[in-house]
Amino acid sequence: AERAHAHAGFLARLEQSVSAYHDKQAKALRAEDGPAPLDPATERECTFRPHIHPAARARRTRTTDELVYGDVVRRELMRMELTERELDAERNEMANKPRVSSIPGVDGALQLSTDKDGFLERMKERELRKEQLIDAVREAQTQRELAQCTFKPKVREAPRYVRERADEVASARSRREARLSEIELNPGWR
């Protein structure tokens, strides 16, 4: 008898569980159809009535992961797709090779087809002419600046005793340098 009572309790619990499951499913279906109806007092306060397009209503609801990470993933996929399109366009552009036509008697500025070895020499000559032109321009600029200088100092000749002393110092220096060079050429320690 006790066993039959336990068996009947199990069946009752099972029936409650199934009915709760069906209630939950019915509630979910009602939620898909729209919100549960409100009491009249509350409905008068709620004036906003959104219009949901049927195509939007037909779409499945997004999961939490899709809501959190979906935009980032979609944006990254779009960026990758745009990058791939740009690379494809660049590859197509590079695939088109230009047609080069040679005109008899016309040579390029580098003259590589006629004088390959002289290219470096021509470039050195060009660089030398460029430096000479720059030096000439600088010299002309310096001359223009000096022409604007109006100060001209009065220079007097040094007195005779100062000139004689300077000559003595210069001759002593030259004698000393001559002795040093003689010592360096013929070292006596050998």
Side-chain angles (χ1 to χ4, degrees):
E2 190 174 310
R3 188 172 187 167
H5 185 316
H7 184 64
F10 169 75
L11 290 177
R13 286 193 313 271
L14 183 63
E15 190 176 317
Q16 279 180 340
S17 175
V18 168
S19 102
Y21 175 77
H22 286 299
D23 289 344
K24 190 175 181 182
Q25 289 288 4
K27 187 176 182 182
L29 285 175
R30 279 194 307 266
E32 286 180 6
D33 292 340
L38 300 173
D39 63 329
T42 309
E43 189 152 347
R44 270 184 262 126
E45 291 178 15
C46 301
T47 58
F48 177 67
R49 302 277 187 255
H51 175 69
I52 300 173
H53 194 273
R57 187 181 298 273
R59 277 190 227 139
R60 69 174 184 78
T61 56
R62 295 195 296 173
T63 64
T64 309
D65 285 342
E66 288 174 333
L67 290 172
V68 174
Y69 302 110
D71 292 338
V72 174
V73 170
R74 226 174 320 139
R75 198 175 306 123
E76 184 65 22
L77 287 173
M78 182 61 77
R79 188 189 63 74
M80 288 171 53
E81 184 178 327
L82 287 174
T83 305
E84 188 62 33
R85 282 185 199 163
E86 289 174 2
L87 287 174
D88 285 344
E90 191 174 321
R91 283 187 208 117
N92 289 338
E93 191 175 298
M94 285 193 291
N96 299 331
K97 295 186 174 117
R99 285 180 279 147
V100 179
S101 61
S102 63
I103 301 171
V106 176
D107 200 6
L110 300 178
Q111 300 174 357
L112 293 175
S113 61
T114 57
D115 187 18
K116 294 179 183 178
D117 297 329
F119 172 72
L120 289 176
E121 294 163 9
R122 287 192 307 275
M123 290 298 112
K124 286 178 186 176
E125 288 174 14
R126 181 185 288 175
E127 193 66 30
L128 182 62
R129 284 193 306 267
K130 186 177 175 182
E131 287 176 11
Q132 289 172 348
L133 178 65
I134 290 171
D135 289 342
V137 169
R138 283 185 185 149
E139 182 66 31
Q141 178 69 23
T142 304
Q143 291 300 324
R144 279 195 301 272
E145 289 174 2
L146 287 177
Q148 295 174 359
C149 296
T150 57
F151 175 72
K152 302 228 188 294
K154 292 181 184 176
V155 180
R156 289 190 234 161
E157 193 174 322
R160 185 173 50 94
Y161 68 91
V162 172
R163 286 189 309 243
E164 289 173 358
R165 180 68 183 143
D167 291 341
E168 289 174 9
V169 170
S171 65
R173 181 178 297 139
S174 64
R175 282 193 307 269
R176 187 173 358 124
E177 288 175 359
R179 270 186 285 147
L180 286 175
S181 65
E182 187 178 303
I183 291 172
E184 288 176 3
L185 292 174
N186 301 316
W189 53 269
R190 283 191 204 186

